[in-house]
Amino acid sequence: MSWPGLKRVLTVLERAVRLRCPHCGLGPVMRHWFKMRDRCGNCGLAIERGERDYFIGSMLFNLVVSEMLFAIVFVAVMLIAWPNVPWDTLQWAAPIGMLAAPFVLFPFSKLAWLGFDILLRPVTPDELEP
Ligand SMILES: [Zn+2]
């Protein structure tokens, strides 16, 4: 196995951010915000690549990114507002943000997870269904 180059990693991340298929860059790949199609509408790549519990990794990735985003925003607000940090606002805004982030980031994390999987285990022709 060879490691993917930075350009390929950035391409996969860019496609995930645009909610596109990580393999072909098109789509559609989503039914709605919380439901992916079974296959990419363009290239036919199976969104779930066969293994049971395939997307537990994407849920973990989703939580890690959500918490990192929370920490970055929290520290940024503190640094920008110092010494008059709006503690009262942070007290209610931070928990709401932490609860909302995994739902907002859900499709992005699923597609990023699929993209990372494709980088490490390239797509084979039999996975593509026209
Ligand atoms: Zn595709």
Side-chain angles (χ1 to χ4, degrees), residues 51-118:
E51 296 87 10
R52 261 189 69 218
D53 305 328
Y54 176 74
F55 279 115
I56 285 179
S58 78
M59 287 189 273
L60 176 66
F61 182 70
N62 187 347
L63 287 174
V64 168
V65 170
S66 296
E67 300 310 313
M68 284 176 51
L69 203 60
F70 162 74
I72 290 169
V73 170
F74 188 83
V75 170
V77 168
M78 278 181 44
L79 291 175
I80 291 169
W82 196 264
N84 301 316
V85 180
W87 295 113
D88 290 341
T89 303
L90 282 176
Q91 190 174 357
W92 59 263
I96 290 173
M98 284 180 64
L99 289 174
F103 295 101
V104 172
L105 298 175
F106 178 77
F108 304 107
S109 65
K110 263 193 152 176
L111 291 172
W113 183 257
L114 178 60
F116 292 142
D117 188 28
I118 286 173

Side-chain angles (χ1 to χ4, degrees), residues 20-29 39-45 47 128:
R20 303 290 186 204
C21 170
H23 178 62
C24 68
L26 299 173
V29 291
R39 294 185 171 274
C40 169
N42 183 57
C43 68
L45 172 69
I47 302 299
L128 302 175

